[in-house]
């Protein structure tokens, strides 16, 4: 087993084994020890924790997780990485590798089978950037008992998750994440921390998951339909964006009345509404 927590060992291992990143899996290998430490620290991982890792690759972060956590379950889609992972994790006895597509596997069942206690787990990952949002939303919407999700993502995606109403980064992703969790950006990560170097800056972000959402809404699915419609045409007023969505079947008069009931300007755009205001709007429009 090679200690991949040392970045020079990671670089040497990749060269010795002729391993190159596969674009179709969005692979970028982490070669910075400080970033590994930030992920562990950001997730506040202890020996009491069961950690789910997504996309372990050659096992760089996995080794650090095995050192810090009580148990690690890693889901890796690339079958060619499985023997490499087994080699690099041979020193540890507190891990399990699942060769599967994280977007297809039943994660809730997978975790329940390994820990029926129902305790809240932690998620840590250097995520493939091209499927970051689907993975994050699958985790949040799964209703799994997750206490936190600490992941490496594109910095612009991290900014969107944390964005406030009225800012250019604010959108449907901001609202979806903030309904389920508090988003905290831990650190910015430059391209030279990876092999190969990505063309964008990255960031480590922690989503501290709520046991109960900070807002009350009668039908969160309907609320997110409204949010999706509002940001599908974000340069239009909220009235026009909602009435133009064929799936909602809302009249201008009904939307205007709801906005007026909220005490908002009739010409307001969706990007100005907070999560709580979208929840109230959903309750009003969904009641009729």
């Amino acid at each position: 087993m090679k200690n991949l927590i040392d970045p020079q060992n990671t670089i040497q291992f990749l060269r010795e084994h002729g391993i190159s990143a596969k674009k179709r899996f969005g692979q970028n290998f982490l070669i910075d020890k400080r970033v590994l430490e930030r992920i562990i620290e950001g997730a506040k991982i202890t020996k009491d924790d069961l950690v789910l890792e997504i996309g372990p690759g050659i096992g760089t972060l996995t080794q650090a997780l095995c050192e810090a956590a009580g148990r690690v379950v890693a889901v890796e889609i690339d079958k060619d990485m499985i023997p490499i992972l087994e080699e690099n994790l041979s020193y540890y006895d507190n891990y399990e590798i699942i060769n599967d597509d994280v977007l297809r596997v039943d994660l809730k069942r997978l975790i329940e089978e390994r820990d029926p206690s129902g305790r809240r787990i932690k998620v840590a990952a250097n995520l493939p950037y091209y499927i970051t949002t689907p993975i994050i939303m699958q985790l949040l919407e799964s209703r799994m008992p997750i206490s936190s999700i600490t992941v490496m993502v594109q910095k612009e995606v991290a900014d969107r998750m944390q964005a406030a109403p009225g800012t250019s980064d604010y959108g449907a992703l901001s609202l979806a994440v903030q309904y389920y969790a508090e988003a905290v950006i831990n650190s910015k990560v430059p391209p030279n921390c990876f092999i190969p170097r990505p063309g964008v800056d990255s960031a480590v972000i922690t989503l501290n998951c709520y046991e109960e959402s900070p807002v009350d809404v009668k039908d969160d699915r309907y609320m997110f339909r409204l949010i999706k419609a509002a940001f599908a045409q974000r340069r239009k007023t909220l009235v026009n964006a909602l009435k133009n969505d064929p799936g909602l079947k809302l009249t201008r008069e009904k939307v205007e009345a709801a906005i007026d009931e909220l005490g908002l300007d009739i010409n307001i755009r969706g990007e100005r509404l907070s999560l709580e205001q979208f929840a109230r709007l959903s309750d009003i429009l969904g009641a009729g």
Side-chain angles (χ1 to χ4, degrees), residues 30 36 39-40 53 56 59-66 124-126 150:
L30 190 57
L36 291 173
I39 294 173
I40 302 298
E53 184 187 8
T60 306
L61 175 58
T62 321
Q63 285 188 352
L65 292 173
C66 286
N126 175 20
T150 302

Side-chain angles (χ1 to χ4, degrees), residues 38-52:
R38 288 169 192 161
I39 294 173
I40 302 298
E41 291 168 2
K44 297 181 173 63
I45 294 172
T46 72
K47 284 297 182 182
D48 293 328
D49 291 320
L50 169 60
V51 177
L52 171 66

Side-chain angles (χ1 to χ4, degrees), residues 17-243:
H17 289 71
I19 298 170
S20 57
K22 296 180 181 177
K23 287 186 178 180
R24 71 180 186 276
F25 293 140
Q27 292 173 342
N28 293 92
F29 303 114
L30 190 57
I31 55 167
D32 192 304
K33 183 179 180 181
R34 293 168 300 175
V35 177
L36 291 173
E37 292 169 349
R38 288 169 192 161
I39 294 173
I40 302 298
E41 291 168 2
K44 297 181 173 63
I45 294 172
T46 72
K47 284 297 182 182
D48 293 328
D49 291 320
L50 169 60
V51 177
L52 171 66
E53 184 187 8
I54 298 165
I58 63 172
T60 306
L61 175 58
T62 321
Q63 285 188 352
L65 292 173
C66 286
E67 293 279 353
R71 188 174 181 191
V72 178
V73 177
V75 180
E76 173 59 55
I77 190 173
D78 186 358
K79 69 180 188 309
D80 293 337
M81 288 295 171
I82 304 305
I84 295 169
L85 279 166
E86 295 285 2
E87 175 185 341
N88 286 328
L89 299 176
S90 60
Y91 176 78
Y92 305 99
D93 61 4
N94 61 337
Y95 74 92
E96 179 181 0
I97 301 168
I98 310 293
N99 182 203
D100 210 332
D101 181 346
V102 71
L103 293 177
R104 295 186 178 183
V105 69
D106 185 341
L107 290 176
K108 187 175 182 181
R109 180 179 176 183
L110 184 149
I111 294 300
E112 286 175 349
E113 288 176 348
R114 284 150 184 81
D115 187 355
S117 71
R119 65 171 167 160
R120 301 181 80 197
I121 70 162
K122 294 176 180 177
V123 178
N126 175 20
L127 289 179
Y129 290 172
Y130 75 106
I131 52 170
T132 292
T133 299
I135 290 174
I136 291 292
M137 293 315 302
Q138 180 195 29
L139 290 168
L140 293 173
E141 293 172 350
S142 70
R143 307 293 183 179
M144 288 171 60
I146 299 174
S147 63
S148 68
I149 301 168
T150 302
V151 288
M152 180 88 68
V153 298
Q154 287 187 43
K155 186 176 183 300
E156 65 178 47
V157 175
D159 289 338
R160 285 164 53 201
M161 290 182 189
Q162 198 185 41
T167 62
S168 60
D169 290 322
Y170 188 66
L173 178 62
S174 316
L175 287 155
V177 168
Q178 292 166 28
Y179 178 72
Y180 293 103
E182 175 197 22
V184 179
I185 295 177
N186 299 318
S187 61
K188 178 180 173 181
V189 181
N192 62 6
C193 294
F194 302 91
I195 291 179
R197 296 186 180 190
V200 295
D201 285 333
S202 306
V204 177
I205 187 168
T206 295
L207 308 181
N208 294 305
C209 301
Y210 300 123
E211 292 194 55
E212 292 186 12
S213 177
V215 301
D216 291 323
V217 62
K218 294 176 182 176
D219 185 344
D220 57 5
R221 290 187 180 183
Y222 185 70
M223 178 183 71
F224 284 117
R225 285 180 62 194
L226 294 178
I227 289 170
K228 183 178 179 181
F231 286 96
Q233 298 179 305
R234 67 180 296 150
R235 305 319 302 168
K236 291 185 179 292
T237 65
L238 182 61
V239 172
N240 285 331
L242 296 187
K243 81 173 183 63

Side-chain angles (χ1 to χ4, degrees), residues 230 236-242 255 259 268-270 273 278 281:
K236 291 185 179 292
T237 65
L238 182 61
V239 172
N240 285 331
L242 296 187
V255 178
I259 292 174
I268 197 169
R269 290 174 176 168
L273 270 67
F278 268 113
L281 182 67

